[in-house]
Amino acid sequence: NAIDNASDPEGTALQVVNLPGSLPAGVTYNASDKTFTLDPADAAYNSLSVGKQQTVVVNFAVSDGSLTTPQTLTFIVSGSNDRPTVTVATVKAVDEAAYGTKDAVEIIDVAKLVTINDVDALDVKTPVVTGSLGINTVVIKDGDGKDVDVPVGVADLKTLFKTSADGHVTYDRADFSFLKDGQHVEAVFGFNTKSGSDTLAQALKVEINGITQTYSAKAIDGYVQGAKVFYDPTGTGVWQYGYVTGTTDAEGNFNLDLTVQSALGRIVVE
């Protein structure tokens, strides 16, 4: 109450006067009971971090109708923790690359995809907590979104991705040349984001699309027109019926349609 600590010797009723034209944020005045109230939940104080305080001062006066005495009311607002919000940008899907393709390595800096919003202005924001990034799941899906078995000869899909303690995901698109047209790999990574004392679990999804692939190249010097070229998924170097096969032209050029190939292998010229 604004007049609890004021009195008049003659017993005259006191009034609150000289109120500021605009009260501080979150402060209201009730004239009927002469009380000031501060709402600490007002947005103006959300930026206060834990352990921080803000002093709010209201200047006014008390009068008996003839004399006026200045008064000061002080509020202390203490900061409390506000939970941050985090958004992780979507990683654009990429296409697989043909086996042996150069410059097919993808590096994702996860921290650059993270946005942290925290009204506690002094809270230190860490997009990716050191050492928290890891791979959760990797699956192959068809065009209908159904899971597909890992092709024969393909290593554990998780081993095709590398994560670093400083928050990077690395993979080679050429390692996914086994994908058929319409298939795609979904890899989900987990990591922690931190703001002040709050640690929040996050997820990031990476997609690699299978595409129709025709492998075009030129046989090494010494091979003439009509040499057999085939894709060897077994590593034996011996042609077998059913292998993707082509023939070199007069200049040693050849094309192999690897769309239906579902296992890792190598190209052999004989």
Side-chain angles (χ1 to χ4, degrees):
N1 190 291
I3 60 174
D4 277 350
N5 297 319
S7 62
D8 184 79
E10 289 80 25
T12 304
L14 299 176
Q15 300 298 322
V16 175
V17 297
N18 297 344
L19 286 169
S22 178
L23 292 170
V27 177
T28 56
Y29 175 68
N30 188 328
S32 63
D33 60 7
K34 301 179 177 61
T35 58
F36 289 95
T37 303
L38 181 141
D39 180 7
D42 189 274
Y45 309 110
N46 283 343
S47 62
L48 288 174
S49 302
V50 175
K52 301 299 180 180
Q53 293 184 327
Q54 182 172 333
T55 300
V56 181
V57 177
V58 181
N59 294 310
F60 62 99
V62 174
S63 175
D64 62 359
S66 58
L67 297 176
T68 299
T69 302
Q71 300 288 313
T72 297
L73 176 65
T74 301
F75 294 99
I76 303 295
V77 182
S78 297
S80 61
N81 184 56
D82 293 285
R83 189 173 179 82
T85 59
V86 180
T87 55
V88 181
T90 301
V91 179
K92 183 179 179 180
V94 299
D95 293 336
E96 60 165 307
Y99 184 76
T101 300
K102 296 181 180 180
D103 301 322
V105 174
E106 299 286 333
I107 302 175
I108 302 172
D109 186 347
V110 179
K112 291 183 177 180
L113 303 173
V114 178
T115 301
I116 303 173
N117 293 301
D118 194 337
V119 295
D120 292 336
L122 297 181
D123 280 2
V124 176
K125 300 176 179 63
T126 305
V128 181
V129 175
T130 300
S132 68
L133 178 64
I135 189 164
N136 291 342
T137 60
V138 185
V139 295
I140 303 173
K141 292 184 177 293
D142 63 17
D144 296 323
K146 297 179 180 179
D147 288 354
V148 176
D149 291 337
V150 178
V152 175
V154 177
D156 180 358
L157 295 177
K158 288 185 177 182
T159 65
L160 303 181
F161 296 91
K162 294 181 180 179
T163 59
S164 64
D166 62 353
H168 290 77
V169 175
T170 305
Y171 64 94
D172 190 336
R173 291 186 294 114
D175 287 339
F176 300 90
S177 59
F178 60 82
L179 289 171
K180 296 180 180 180
D181 187 26
Q183 293 181 342
H184 69 275
V185 164
E186 287 186 6
V188 178
F189 300 83
F191 63 97
N192 291 330
T193 292
K194 190 172 183 179
S195 182
S197 61
D198 293 300
T199 300
L200 296 87
Q202 306 297 326
L204 176 75
K205 184 168 71 173
V206 173
E207 291 191 12
I208 303 152
N209 296 321
I211 58 174
T212 299
Q213 283 191 17
T214 299
Y215 190 90
S216 300
K218 184 174 183 177
I220 61 175
D221 294 341
Y223 286 96
V224 295
Q225 180 179 8
K228 179 188 291 184
V229 184
F230 62 91
Y231 186 83
D232 174 19
T234 62
T236 62
V238 179
W239 181 85
Q240 297 183 37
Y241 179 78
Y243 280 3
V244 177
T245 305
T247 305
T248 57
D249 62 16
E251 297 180 350
N253 298 309
F254 64 89
N255 297 308
L256 291 180
D257 184 355
L258 302 181
T259 302
V260 299
Q261 182 57 49
S262 61
L264 292 176
R266 60 179 181 171
I267 292 175
V268 178
V269 181
E270 66 175 19

